[in-house]
Amino acid sequence: MVCSIYHTATDLSMKKYTLKKPKGELHLVSPARFRIDYKNELNPAQYAAVTSVNGPHLIVAGAGTGKTRTIVYRVAYLVELGVKPEHILLLTFTRKASQEMLRRAAVLLDYRCEKVSGGTFHSFANSTLRKHANLLGYERSFTILDQGDAEDVVNLIRTRLKLDTRERRFPKKETLYDLYSRSINTVTPVSNLLSIDYPHYRELEEDIAKVHTVYDEYKKSHNLMDYDDLLVNLMRLLQQHEPVRAELSNRYKYIMVDEFQDTNKLQAEIVRLLAYKHTNVMVVGDDSQSIYSFRGATIRNILDFPEQFPDCKIITLEENYRSTQAILNVANEILKRALD
Amino acid sequence: MRHKYTKVLYTHKSEGSLPQLIIAENENSQSKFVVQKILELREEGVPLEDIAVLFRSSFLSFDLEIELAKANIPFLKFGGFKFIETAHVKDMIAYLRVLENPRDVVAWNRILLLIDGVGPRTAEKIIDDILHRRAERPSSPFWEQYNSYTANVKELFEVMKSIASEKYPPAEKASRITTYYHPMFKKRYDDYTKRKKDLEMFEQIAARYSDVGTLLADLALEPPNESIADVTPPGIDDEYLTLSTIHSAKGLEWNSVFLIYALDGRFPTSRAVNDLDEMEEERRLMYVACTRAKEHLFITYPINVYDRETGTILTKPSRFLEGLDEKLLEPWVIGEE
């Protein structure tokens, strides 16, 4: 008896146990116990994307390659791994898209997936700003101006300032609003846009800037935001209020962005700010499908992502589940002839 | 600097029939061909929901819309005017906006100008009044002390007062507002019977919400896609064909896809030809259009189209397709029997 106790003690003393800081790898639930057979239900590239957890990732998903499926499975995977759904943020191009993805993830795994925060950049900005509006000098009950309303306000200011005279033509409300909006979304000074698109209005630069300033003041004093304000104000909130930035970055530990090829510079900056504590960002998109530059989207976001997040891992999805090979051949050929 | 991520799509599905590039001698023959082909596909068992006609710009489908109506093919068009952008829906929203944010001058202006006898000057005076009182006593509701106004204006304030309480759900507020708004609505729009469906739809949408703030934010951020007044043929529950701009077709797929007006000068548009970046974006649009199709892809273009912008006659297929190997994209000409 004594002898055996003695032996066990020696065995223990031979094995050293030391305490280490956790590396952030989350295997709270062992993958062996997962309910979904990820490896069998996904192709190898999809599987690699779905099971990538920490750090920045870029998923280049060609048309029809099961991009939605991949996002749905990744949400389920994170939740199975033990990540709290509230700690996942899924940003999509339309709100319907995120609702649909989370619903599918819930069917795949369970109800927890519906608790993931999902929406568009604008709807996410809206709900965040409702909570923190006072920090930016707004009331929580601010209302949102659509494009038509915004143009009307610009027109009102233009008329009030008496800038349009018989002797001098002044840009119309649509032109002004387009200038302001593009300037914000592309982070380009109005004066640059003027020289490119409306060189004949260049000498009116000062007055055009004046209308812009008054327009901004007007919105603020009437508790109004246009679409661009939602993004700009969210960005300011994150930049200027460290506690809010920290709170949000701690809450959204895993960020996923769909259709990254159609995001604009502000949106990319918002992603960067939200992820500053952990850089757990997975962006999904297809540079070949970037088609929204007229709304300020820039293909550079997806192309420059690896420079923005230097240790980023790139995974490319190329197996198409939608079209016949005959159709894909034409599509491939169209791309192949693009300028390099 | 990186220019693109190279990828080559492949599939384990069958080879399938070759996509076709079809020349039509003019716009109307293009439309008639598409209509006929759609009817054939339907005969073969492809339901209308699984067929889409795509185009570069919204106006390119006008002629086709007429032909579809003649053939009694119901369709929904995406990428045109949105529900929320129609004047009558904006009116409805303005009432609710004022309730939510009494400083919303834009909405005030809209609903005051709807009232008989209120012009821009009167509206401005009333708005100044409201803002002034609000600045003095922020906690008192805006509908108090409106006695100095004319009967018409008073009525608006009374309606607002009667529905202001949070105990009324948004649907009830919307319904009360519809009743009040109806006479003005009838007077303002000749086609009010058609537009009326939008107001009903608005009430239905409102019924899904429990507070006005969320309803308004959702409507502004994610408006329902189409106005009923803009949608042609029957009940929207029935089978329908999709007409869509390529932009609005993003992420979607159909068994059979028609791409019309693949005509150089229309697609790419002649406005884009001088800008390399815009040109590459047009190319990506073509890629997006083609990759929407699962089984059948028909690309059509009419010739002899006059282009006002450049003063030339457009006759060539889109430069993104021109010269493509005939073994990839089969050329056809529409013949008449």
Side-chain angles (χ1 to χ4, degrees):
Chain A
M1 255 337 244
V2 175
C3 206
S4 83
I5 287 171
Y6 176 74
H7 274 289
T8 315
T10 9
D11 284 343
L12 271 176
S13 67
M14 282 161 74
K15 207 169 188 182
K16 272 263 186 183
Y17 286 87
T18 53
L19 293 174
K20 283 189 288 185
K21 287 270 179 209
K23 267 201 284 179
E25 285 292 340
L26 254 166
H27 286 278
L28 298 180
V29 176
S30 150
R33 291 179 171 274
F34 283 176
R35 284 173 18 214
I36 299 164
D37 185 358
Y38 295 92
K39 200 152 206 167
N40 263 315
E41 292 178 34
L42 300 163
N43 71 33
Q46 291 173 336
Y47 179 74
V50 164
T51 55
S52 298
V53 178
N54 287 309
H57 289 87
L58 165 60
I59 313 302
V60 180
T65 55
K67 184 192 66 162
T68 305
R69 185 177 172 83
T70 304
I71 295 173
V72 167
Y73 272 78
R74 174 137 196 280
V75 169
Y77 187 84
L78 289 177
V79 172
E80 277 218 86
L81 205 57
V83 177
K84 283 192 179 151
E86 306 85 275
H87 287 167
I88 304 172
L89 176 63
L90 172 61
L91 295 171
T92 52
F93 195 70
T94 63
R95 229 163 42 102
K96 209 171 130 200
S98 65
Q99 285 165 354
E100 176 65 15
M101 288 174 191
L102 296 180
R103 197 191 55 76
R104 276 175 60 181
V107 171
L108 186 68
L109 184 66
D110 57 43
Y111 69 97
R112 284 176 293 172
C113 297
E114 304 234 38
K115 288 200 205 147
V116 167
S117 314
T120 61
F121 277 92
H122 287 90
S123 74
F124 175 69
N126 173 60
S127 54
T128 307
L129 289 169
R130 296 272 166 204
K131 287 187 204 104
H132 303 284
N134 54 328
L135 290 175
L136 299 167
Y138 272 92
E139 281 177 45
R140 288 170 176 206
S141 61
F142 65 83
T143 42
I144 302 167
L145 297 176
D146 67 21
Q147 188 178 329
D149 297 323
E151 286 169 358
D152 288 346
V153 176
V154 168
N155 197 38
L156 182 87
I157 292 159
R158 181 179 171 277
T159 318
R160 268 197 200 160
L161 295 176
K162 300 198 169 54
L163 290 168
D164 199 15
T165 58
R166 206 163 295 173
E167 298 78 45
R168 191 185 73 167
R169 205 170 110 196
F170 199 74
K172 294 197 167 55
K173 59 176 182 178
E174 293 86 359
T175 312
L176 290 170
Y177 177 75
D178 169 63
L179 277 171
Y180 303 150
S181 179
R182 267 196 302 140
S183 152
I184 289 162
N185 284 300
T186 58
V187 200
T188 312
V190 170
S191 56
N192 290 18
L193 296 176
L194 266 183
S195 352
I196 300 165
D197 296 331
Y198 308 97
H200 50 291
Y201 284 138
R202 226 170 6 196
E203 75 273 22
L204 301 176
E205 195 184 315
E206 241 172 74
D207 284 336
I208 290 172
K210 170 100 178 125
V211 175
H212 198 183
T213 313
V214 178
Y215 173 58
D216 280 344
E217 289 164 2
Y218 186 95
K219 284 181 294 183
K220 202 158 181 182
S221 66
H222 293 104
N223 208 22
L224 303 165
M225 289 196 204
D226 64 21
Y227 291 149
D228 300 331
D229 290 327
L230 290 171
L231 297 183
V232 171
N233 286 330
L234 174 60
M235 189 177 74
R236 283 195 192 136
L237 181 73
L238 293 170
Q239 282 170 341
Q240 297 166 5
H241 298 273
E242 214 281 323
V244 178
R245 181 167 76 241
E247 181 200 320
L248 291 175
S249 194
N250 284 329
R251 181 176 326 148
Y252 301 116
K253 290 185 165 56
Y254 293 91
I255 299 170
M256 298 169 81
V257 187
D258 189 17
E259 311 273 13
F260 198 62
Q261 79 280 359
D262 285 325
T263 52
N264 65 31
K265 282 195 180 173
L266 295 180
Q267 291 166 330
E269 178 62 8
I270 287 168
V271 169
R272 207 184 56 78
L273 289 163
L274 281 173
Y276 85 107
K277 289 232 172 208
H278 45 68
T279 68
N280 294 330
V281 189
M282 179 176 280
V283 299
V284 185
D286 180 2
D287 53 316
S288 309
Q289 294 186 68
S290 171
I291 55 174
Y292 274 95
S293 70
F294 69 96
R295 289 211 312 218
T298 170
I299 192 171
R300 296 255 48 106
N301 281 352
I302 190 166
L303 296 180
D304 296 344
F305 188 79
E307 276 93 84
Q308 284 283 317
F309 293 89
D311 48 345
C312 138
K313 213 169 116 195
I314 302 175
I315 298 168
T316 308
L317 308 184
E318 289 178 303
E319 181 172 358
N320 177 293
Y321 295 92
R322 178 183 295 152
S323 313
T324 60
Q325 191 63 47
I327 291 169
L328 294 180
N329 291 343
V330 170
N332 284 333
E333 192 61 25
I334 290 167
L335 277 193
K336 211 172 115 189
R337 304 204 299 180
L339 289 170
D340 276 318
Chain B
M1 205 154 72
R2 198 189 278 271
H3 291 292
K4 61 179 180 184
Y5 298 103
T6 309
K7 54 194 143 340
V8 178
L9 296 178
Y10 66 93
T11 183
H12 293 302
K13 283 174 84 168
S14 69
E15 186 63 31
S17 55
L18 277 187
Q20 303 178 347
L21 179 65
I22 300 143
I23 308 176
E25 65 183 297
N26 55 45
E27 180 182 37
N28 193 247
S29 107
Q30 171 180 256
S31 301
K32 284 185 168 146
F33 168 77
V34 171
V35 166
Q36 182 195 315
K37 197 77 204 171
I38 287 170
L39 292 173
E40 279 173 29
L41 285 166
R42 237 184 126 225
E43 287 282 292
E44 288 165 23
V46 183
L48 285 181
E49 275 93 344
D50 226 354
I51 306 175
V53 182
L54 307 182
F55 28 85
R56 171 65 186 87
S57 319
S58 191
F59 72 92
L60 295 176
S61 71
F62 291 164
D63 187 70
L64 176 64
E65 288 170 41
I66 295 167
E67 290 301 326
L68 287 168
K70 275 195 219 160
N72 263 321
I73 301 176
F75 62 89
L76 282 179
K77 183 170 170 179
F78 298 87
F81 239 96
K82 285 195 168 161
F83 174 72
I84 196 177
E85 288 160 355
T86 56
H88 50 296
V89 175
K90 290 197 78 164
D91 292 343
M92 287 296 292
I93 291 172
Y95 291 104
L96 293 176
R97 271 170 50 178
V98 164
L99 279 181
E100 188 68 10
N101 174 20
R103 282 196 281 155
D104 190 334
V105 179
V106 183
W108 269 121
N109 203 44
R110 186 170 194 108
I111 60 176
L112 285 169
L113 289 177
L114 285 170
I115 300 172
D116 256 351
V118 176
R121 196 161 299 181
T122 319
E124 200 179 335
K125 208 188 135 297
I126 297 173
I127 292 168
D128 280 348
D129 264 15
I130 296 163
L131 292 182
H132 188 70
R133 276 207 307 272
R134 219 184 137 66
E136 274 184 348
R137 289 194 298 153
S139 57
S140 87
F142 67 81
W143 50 82
E144 277 175 10
Q145 302 178 2
Y146 51 83
N147 286 321
S148 59
Y149 301 143
T150 61
N152 280 346
V153 178
K154 255 191 231 167
E155 191 190 350
L156 168 65
F157 280 75
E158 267 154 25
V159 171
M160 292 308 221
K161 185 180 175 180
S162 73
I163 56 172
S165 161
E166 276 175 21
K167 73 175 186 223
Y168 301 119
E172 224 169 303
K173 294 184 186 192
S175 141
R176 177 77 185 85
I177 291 167
T178 314
T179 316
Y180 163 73
Y181 171 60
H182 202 255
M184 296 175 263
F185 166 71
K186 253 171 95 171
K187 224 163 150 183
R188 235 177 140 80
Y189 304 108
D190 287 337
D191 56 348
Y192 70 91
T193 42
K194 220 165 144 193
R195 290 171 185 255
K196 213 173 153 183
K197 291 206 188 92
D198 282 337
L199 299 190
E200 284 162 20
M201 185 168 159
F202 184 82
E203 284 185 39
Q204 279 171 28
I205 292 171
R208 298 204 293 260
Y209 289 83
S210 57
D211 73 288
V212 172
T214 315
L215 166 67
L216 289 176
D218 279 4
L219 277 172
L221 295 171
E222 195 87 356
N225 229 317
E226 68 286 340
S227 157
I228 295 179
D230 281 346
V231 175
T232 343
I236 39 171
D237 301 329
D238 298 341
E239 196 192 8
Y240 64 85
L241 166 80
T242 297
L243 263 55
S244 177
T245 60
I246 302 168
H247 281 102
S248 294
K250 174 176 171 169
L252 303 175
E253 58 179 30
W254 293 271
N255 170 286
S256 304
V257 169
F258 293 83
L259 172 64
I260 58 169
Y261 263 110
L263 174 68
D264 212 64
R266 288 284 176 270
F267 188 9
T269 68
S270 40
R271 270 173 289 121
V273 294
N274 294 320
D275 184 317
L276 269 183
D277 285 343
E278 278 187 46
M279 213 41 161
E280 284 313 299
E281 181 143 328
E282 296 281 315
R283 176 193 306 281
R284 295 193 292 267
L285 261 179
M286 180 62 85
Y287 174 76
V288 169
C290 293
T291 51
R292 300 308 96 202
K294 293 200 263 190
E295 300 281 334
H296 304 290
L297 174 62
F298 306 96
I299 304 176
T300 66
Y301 69 99
I303 48 175
N304 290 315
V305 172
Y306 179 69
D307 183 38
R308 228 177 277 174
E309 201 132 343
T310 53
T312 55
I313 309 283
L314 307 174
T315 54
K316 289 163 82 180
S318 170
R319 65 189 64 192
F320 308 128
L321 303 171
E322 204 186 13
L324 226 72
D325 193 332
E326 294 191 3
K327 279 180 226 138
L328 293 181
L329 186 63
E330 237 175 0
W332 291 89
V333 180
I334 299 171
E336 273 179 56
E337 282 174 19

